[in-house]
Structures are given as C-alpha cells and as structure tokens.
Amino acid sequence: MTAFYHLARGAIVPLTKVLWRPTITGIDHIPRSGGVILASNHLSFIDSFAIPIASPRPVSFLAKADYWTGTGVGGSIRRGFFTASEAIPVDRHSSRAAQESLDLALDVLRAGRAFGIYPEGTRSRDGRLYRGRTGVAFLALTAGVPVVPVGLVGTDQVQPVGAKIPTLAKVRVAFGTPITPESYAGMPAGKARRALTDEVMNAIAALSGQERVDAYNELPPESGPAIGV
C-alpha cells in the first residue's frame, strides 16, 4: 500500500472513532500475513471505507470504474480514497465483467494480500441478507486461502442507499472465525462452491443479525451484472 494510504488512514481512523463510535470485534481472526478474503454483508456505500478502517491490515476491493470519473469535491474524495487504497476499477457493463473481476481478485490473493468481497453482489436496499453468489468460494478454493466473515451493523444509518451525505450513527464491525476451504476440496466443484458460500453466509448472518432472504439480490438491468465481488 502507498504511503498516502497509511497517512490518510492515520488521519481518518481517529476521526471515525469520534464521529461514528465504531465497535470493532474479532480483529484477532484476521491473519496478519498471506492471502485472505474478507467476506461481508453490504448495506451502504461506506462499507468499503468501514472495513479497511477496522481491519489491522490493508484491504483491496473491486470498485465500479465510475468512482474514478466523478466530479466535484465528492468525486475527488472517492477517487483519492480508492486510488490510495489500491482498489481495482471494474467496468460492470463489460460482457466479461464477472470473470475479469475474479481474475483480478485472484491476483490480489496470490500476492499475499487481503481482498474484500460482498457475496450478495450489491447493496441490500431493505436491510435483509440475500443469498450469496459463489464467487467468494471460487476465490477461496482456487487460491487456497481462508475466508473471514464480516458482519456490519449501522452503516446503512450512516449513509442509506441513495443518500449523498453521511450522517452520524453508531457502527459495529465484527470479524468472525476464519473458514478454510480444505474440507470442500474433494467435492464436485459446483457443489463445493455452493456449500462453502452457504457456510460463509451463515457466518455473516450470525455476526450481523440480519433477516435472511433465500433469493439473490438483483441489480437493475442498467447497472450491469451482479458479480458478487
């Protein structure tokens, strides 16, 4: 990570503790080195800020390429944050967006870094936890890395879907026990991915306390494919 990232984090973390009084638990569950996936529920745009701030090590996310083209003060802040944190821009309108995203994520994991993923594929607009897409399991099984489930609470109150300006609210970030892919390695690929993904989602639900939905959370057609990363 860049020096700017560490400098910015040093300034932002104390500010967030004052404004949003985050409760952070389970930090010891995150391996201090090696590739690891942080798989979280997704309630708000600020989730991609909350997890890196709470994590003891830098976390890379895939992000819409649009975040690098915004204008005004807000656009500059988003562009600066995602660039400094080495987020990976993805064109969600590309016909190969899903596979390209997984390939980029594998590069991060094979480099021994932490990668953040939202298995629901997009933000929950009603606060419920939707069925996980199997990209998280594909990455864990292919790269041979553990998955740390993450439960976020309150980020939807800080910046609800559609809101432009964050508000004050208490946030909780809970990191769960790592889930290793070894026990699924001998299963047929499709079955292994579904079973591992379901285990991850069960762990996220236990951490977040959300109501479950046995269906995928779909993006509007104009938003491009829901890639689960």
Side-chain angles (χ1 to χ4, degrees), residues 31-77:
R32 293 304 188 267
S33 62
V36 62
I37 299 168
L38 304 186
S40 176
N41 58 326
H42 198 11
L43 298 169
S44 169
F45 168 77
I46 72 159
D47 295 344
S48 296
F49 290 78
I51 294 173
I53 287 170
S55 170
R57 58 185 291 192
V59 183
S60 292
F61 282 87
L62 298 182
K64 293 187 295 185
D66 297 351
Y67 290 150
W68 276 262
T69 60
T71 58
V73 175
S76 297
I77 292 173

Side-chain angles (χ1 to χ4, degrees), residues 20 42-50 67 74 77-78 82 123-125 153-171:
W20 291 293
H42 198 11
L43 298 169
S44 169
F45 168 77
I46 72 159
D47 295 344
S48 296
F49 290 78
Y67 290 150
I77 292 173
R78 285 192 295 270
F82 285 115
R123 287 172 285 178
S124 172
R125 285 168 169 73
V153 177
T155 55
D156 54 334
Q157 300 303 312
V158 173
Q159 189 171 6
V161 174
K164 300 296 184 182
I165 301 175
T167 60
L168 297 180
K170 193 168 184 179
V171 172

Side-chain angles (χ1 to χ4, degrees), residues 79-99:
R79 183 165 55 253
F81 173 82
F82 285 115
T83 299
S85 61
E86 297 187 8
I88 304 167
V90 174
D91 179 7
R92 299 186 73 164
H93 299 286
S94 166
S95 60
R96 297 190 68 253
Q99 188 57 52

Side-chain angles (χ1 to χ4, degrees), residues 83-163:
T83 299
S85 61
E86 297 187 8
I88 304 167
V90 174
D91 179 7
R92 299 186 73 164
H93 299 286
S94 166
S95 60
R96 297 190 68 253
Q99 188 57 52
E100 290 171 355
S101 298
L102 293 173
D103 291 342
L104 291 168
L106 284 174
D107 290 341
V108 171
L109 295 170
R110 286 168 173 161
R113 294 160 51 192
F115 177 76
I117 184 171
Y118 302 115
E120 291 172 276
T122 189
R123 287 172 285 178
S124 172
R125 285 168 169 73
D126 58 15
R128 297 185 296 172
L129 184 68
Y130 285 78
R131 194 179 195 210
R133 299 174 185 276
T134 59
V136 60
F138 168 82
L139 293 174
L141 290 162
T142 303
V145 300
V147 181
V148 174
V150 184
L152 297 174
V153 177
T155 55
D156 54 334
Q157 300 303 312
V158 173
Q159 189 171 6
V161 174

